Amino acid sequence: MTNRLADTLSPYLRAHADNPVDWYPWGEEAFAEAQRRDVPLLISIGYSTCHWCHVMARESFADPATAALINDGFVAVKVDREEHPQVDGAYMAAASAFTQSLGWPLTVFATPRGRTFYAGTYWPPQARPSMPAFRDVLAAVREAWTLRRAQAEESADAVTDALARAAESTPSTLPDVVAIGTAAQAIAQREDPQFGGFGGAPKFPVATTLRFLQHPLVREGAPEASAATARALAAMADSDLRDADGGFFRYATQRDWTVPHYERMLTDNAQLLDVARDAGDERTVRGIASFLIDVLRRDGGGFGAAQDSESTIDGVRNEGGYYLRPLAERAGLEPPAVDGKLITGWNGLAIGALARAGAALGEQSWIDAAASAADEVLRTNRDADGALVRASLDGRASAASATAADLGLLADGLFALALASGETTWAIAARSILDGTVGDDPLLSAQGIAASPDQTDGDLPSDAAAVAGAALTAWWLGAGERYREAVVTTVSALAARSLEQPFAHGTLLRVAAGLAVPPRQLVVVTGARDSALAVVARGADAEVVTVVTTEQARAFADAGFELFEGKDASAERAYDCRAFVCRLPVSDPAEVSLTR
């Protein structure tokens, strides 16, 4: 049979189009059908490069007998977590009430209104120690719904109400320098002293945490904690987690960074590019940049979401086999597929990282690649009304709205591109996007299901932290005090949780650090972007470093970015400012301090 997934945007959903399961995509139609039939929803959430998602698909969703049980007792909904992250977040939060083993594939059983009454992750086709067979789970859930429905609905309502209460927050004071340093030291106590990084097996790069530890405030106030980032990066870069072509795998299954889980994500690599650039690790920077541009970049210039862990070798699906071959032997093999979805926020991460790295190392081609990606996302990832959406594939825009994190990460990436290129249009676009941040998934809201109360970082910054980070950058550029006020509000609301759980709030703590110390803003006005003054300035330690022409400086000022006002000298000058208070401009490269 062919179900309703064949014409969807998601490669993950399309891979299930020929399943005997009568899948629905996420949307009102599935909810209406569940209410009409008065049966539970089976919501299966995964993504295209998820190994265990593929396994469960082969074992259970492709099996006619299992599919018959699903079709008879449930309305089945297949969700791509990369296309609908808010749906994934809401149901992952609900699933935590039923299991501690969270991950993907995520299997949720919900009332016809979408409220969770049972959930789990992967279930095998036959029972194993501590794991029931998936068919037995289906039978037990159907029996519970038929014989103990009132209890199931009461449980679902209780979980929904508890999550709504958990989303409430009480504002507190802004973290000061001491509190932020203490948070960094608490993170450092979790460092693996033998192999670097944090925790045991499995071991993840946790780039958001590493970026917080790299902040100048931490570097100066808690230097040993900050040094944990350099140790982690060195360990990862010299381990099996880093492929021979320079790209990093998602995580290692062993504490010593061996036996990687072989999928390669745009999110991880874009963020690790920033980590490596800040650490001065040029070899790793160049490797990641090459991977992004040579492997993940799609026709049109945008960056695909991920590269699969599996490929076909000698006619057989093989996990990791391609990556285990030396580079010279890979030429004759079909490489693992790239999920070509252009996810708005993920491309924002790549745009910003490539722009910053290109400016720092003088690689104009990287800045050009960032600009091409920005052009593609801004053109393609829009609905009929011109609003940004979550993703696109092959030029076709998703129906899923962009999340707050999407808009924050894209805006911040465009600000970085504006600074790297000197082109005002990117900053204007970034400000416009930042001013249009959005809320929850509309279908969840219609059913009274709150978005996940969790504002911790996962494999990328949380919604709140992503928007706050972009707003902080807007303030640094002189877009107005209202942006700083917005950051203060966000950080104050989440400060207590962030300081209690610093490891899970790296991005928000980095934003808080940006409020706690005056920003350094370095603007070079020159007619020669590769002049000695410009080259020296690009290596300086500052929140804002940009090289612009006189005309570009005026354009920024005219567009309302007050940092650039009065910086349109006809002669080459460097303006070194602290929170918009500038020293006398200089023209001698020797007078530009590389340190703060």
Side-chain angles (χ1 to χ4, degrees), residues 79-407:
V79 179
D80 184 340
R81 70 175 292 260
E82 295 174 349
E83 187 177 11
H84 293 280
Q86 291 177 326
V87 175
D88 175 58
Y91 284 115
M92 187 65 73
S96 67
F98 303 95
T99 178
Q100 294 181 340
S101 301
L102 296 173
W104 301 277
L106 179 64
T107 308
V108 176
F109 297 95
T111 70
R113 293 183 60 200
R115 299 187 170 203
T116 304
F117 64 89
Y118 189 59
T121 52
Y122 164 80
W123 280 299
Q126 287 83 36
R128 301 175 187 171
S130 76
M131 295 181 72
F134 184 46
R135 290 191 202 178
D136 293 339
V137 172
L138 294 171
V141 170
R142 186 172 184 181
E143 178 182 303
W145 181 255
T146 303
L147 302 180
R148 297 181 296 278
R149 176 169 177 167
Q151 182 179 347
E153 289 182 326
E154 181 180 352
S155 173
D157 289 342
V159 169
T160 301
D161 293 344
L163 291 174
R165 290 192 300 271
E168 300 173 356
S169 60
T170 302
S172 61
T173 58
L174 288 174
D176 59 15
V177 172
V178 173
I180 292 169
T182 300
Q185 291 166 347
I187 291 173
Q189 290 175 1
R190 300 179 59 173
E191 183 183 14
D192 181 341
Q194 183 175 0
F195 297 111
F198 300 94
K203 185 175 280 187
F204 290 80
V206 290
T208 55
T209 300
L210 299 181
R211 289 293 289 142
F212 164 55
L213 295 180
Q214 287 183 310
H215 192 277
L217 186 157
V218 178
R219 194 169 62 234
E220 296 172 11
E224 182 54 30
S226 184
T229 289
R231 290 190 288 269
L233 181 64
M236 290 188 289
D238 291 333
S239 76
D240 293 345
L241 193 71
R242 180 176 183 267
D243 187 45
D245 69 1
F248 282 83
F249 299 111
R250 188 163 202 180
Y251 64 88
T253 62
Q254 304 301 310
R255 177 188 162 199
D256 62 355
W257 300 108
T258 59
V259 194
H261 186 54
Y262 286 102
E263 61 185 321
R264 300 200 286 183
M265 308 298 296
L266 176 59
T267 49
D268 296 324
N269 282 278
Q271 292 177 97
L272 287 172
L273 178 55
D274 270 330
V275 171
R277 175 190 53 80
D278 230 0
D281 184 350
E282 184 173 338
R283 178 182 71 109
T284 300
V285 167
R286 292 189 177 279
I288 298 174
S290 294
F291 167 67
L292 294 179
I293 293 170
D294 297 340
V295 177
L296 292 188
R297 184 165 59 171
R298 305 289 86 193
D299 293 342
F303 293 98
Q307 187 176 29
D308 208 333
S309 61
E310 296 184 0
S311 63
T312 300
I313 300 178
D314 297 329
V316 178
R317 294 294 289 173
N318 185 298
E319 185 188 11
Y322 176 87
Y323 302 109
L324 292 172
R325 302 285 183 96
L327 284 179
E329 294 182 15
R330 295 183 190 178
L333 297 177
E334 178 185 348
V338 171
D339 180 344
K341 290 196 309 297
L342 306 186
I343 298 177
T344 297
W346 299 15
N347 270 263
L349 285 171
I351 290 163
L354 283 169
R356 286 183 286 267
L361 295 183
E363 289 289 349
Q364 183 61 43
S365 63
W366 299 354
I367 300 173
D368 293 342
S372 294
D375 273 328
E376 182 70 1
V377 170
L378 291 174
R379 181 182 64 84
T380 305
N381 289 24
R382 295 193 182 273
D383 64 16
D385 297 323
L388 283 164
V389 298
R390 169 68 175 168
S392 66
L393 179 66
D394 298 332
R396 178 183 166 198
S398 168
S401 301
T403 66
D406 283 324
L407 301 182

